[in-house]
Amino acid sequence: MPKIDPHRRRLLGWLSLGTGVAGAIGFARALPAGMRATVHAIDEPDAGPMCAQPRATRTSAAQAPTYERFTRPLQLPREDGLLADLDASVPYRFVAQSRDFAVLPGAPTSLWHYAVQADGRVFANPTLRVKRGESIDVELDNRLAEATTIHWHGFVIDEANDGGGLHPVKAGARARYRFDVRNRAGMYWYHAHPHMRTGVQVQRGMAGLVVVEDDEERELQKQLDLVHGKTDLALMLADKQVGADHSILYREDGADDWVGNAMLVNWTAEPYLDVTPRLYRLRLANVSNARLLRIAFVQQGGGALPFHLIGTDGGLLAEPWRVEDVFLAPAQRIDVLVDFGKLAAGARVRLRSLAYDAMENDENESGELAPDPMGDHPGAIAMGHALDFMEMRVGEAKEKSVRRMLPRKLSSLAPTPDAKAWPVRKFRLNMDAQGDWFINDWNFHKTGHRNAFEIKRGSRETWEIQNAINSMPHAMHLHGFQFRVLSRSISPPDLRAKQVAPGGLSPQDLGVLDTVVVWPGETVRIALDFAQPFRGTQRYMFHCHNLEHEDKGMMVTFAVVD
Ligand code: C2O
Ligand code: CU
Ligand code: CU
């Protein structure tokens, strides 16, 4: 584990290193050697030794929990409890409440969550499984002491059912969400979204997954002999800031970039998973408040285990891409195939977020530095540092495993549209002298809650999102619509290295997304089709999914109109 230098984020601004905009093309070369190392960190044993180690070695003592890592089994869908599967074809009541769960070894952790009673069992943050074309019908019964919502992230949905901050459900009140599932098969999610309280509520646990299935998807499962819950696993990744008493900590009077000290997979801190030597499908969702991950699989001994990216936020890609790592921003999902088939029994593989240049160069335009958010919660692992989520332990082959061929065509996903003739709407992301983030000089708190713009239903637009040079990566998300990425320009080296298609696109950019990262200095163009089967004015939010940025107003509302 490299020593966390609180000033590191100040020193990494690539433009302040004198490369200049004109030097951007060649700036991989212009970077000092120390920075380039982060680009190929996969060979470094940089996320701690492979054996279990007390966590206390990397966090500041007083606040931090102490526990052996990789000693608890991964939480897999059981009959009840956290993340158990629930067939969404019937209506449910989700009770927002708080209760203790075993998250870390030892003392329990109180989680705010959605509790569901069905068939005499109690579920918490259930994984909803639904077929495309069916509907989801959920009543929220808010028994928290404050307003909350259920936002259906990634779904084609009308304003009344979207569950965004425009429609808070007061403490003690109820609301009903009902919508037809029109999205492609894929993994989506739901989470609390009350205005200014999204960060604290998600940090405390208010989030769950939705797996949408269809025939095309089921065909792939069959071809690859994948079984949901056994060899096809949904993994919810989140970092939490946890205290010595195992409670989840949050700075309620104004947190920034809330990265944590404990890595949770399916609400288990640093679990292990026994795997057989065969192909596994892992669907990863990053439900962290703020931490951008760089997902990789690293074998004991340090070597990368390449894997295939087969899907993104909005379902399967057209074809699989062999990769060594993929960026996974807060709110994004990826669908990957990992082949343990060639590994010997006893081999160990870590699900790791590799080191990367976090580019948190968030001085404002007059050159003043914003307060360092790490100062809020000492002991948290800094953004961009390597960290491990889970250890996979390869066992003996159970039966003679049949090697399956990966199909060349995964889905009938249409190519990226030709959007040359579509009108362009421009967005610029930046920070002001007070350290507040803006979208086109609009901040939800400072500028107001009215619609920033209106779009005619059925129209198609290119959105051009440009991030300031003195900035940090922002994971931009809009409600109600998914999109395709058209191009990226002036991307940082970590990203440029991933380019596989014209326009600076990475394999992930070739899929359907609802959240896209725009790196400092970068301009990203996305293609949006505002066709939808609703009428009248429907309002939605466009915001950064770093939840502290969102809560601090890096958000606008817009309306789709007849
Ligand atoms: Cu998951 Cu407004 O977002
Ligand atoms: Cu959303
Ligand atoms: Cu942001």
Side-chain angles (χ1 to χ4, degrees), residues 473-475 544 546 549 554:
H474 295 290
C544 178
N546 174 317
H549 294 186
M554 193 179 188

Side-chain angles (χ1 to χ4, degrees), residues 151 153-154 164 189 191 193 331 477 479 541 543 545 547 550 555:
H151 168 55
H153 181 115
W189 65 301
H191 62 84
H193 207 308
H477 164 63
H479 291 203
M541 313 187 118
H543 62 86
H545 220 290
L547 297 180
E550 175 196 326
M555 174 158 72

Side-chain angles (χ1 to χ4, degrees), residues 504-537:
L505 303 185
S506 71
Q508 187 181 25
D509 293 324
L510 301 176
V512 175
L513 299 182
D514 50 55
T515 306
V516 68
V517 182
V518 187
W519 291 78
E522 203 182 27
T523 298
V524 176
R525 289 177 150 233
I526 61 176
L528 281 148
D529 183 344
F530 289 97
Q532 55 168 202
F534 313 118
R535 288 161 178 278
T537 299

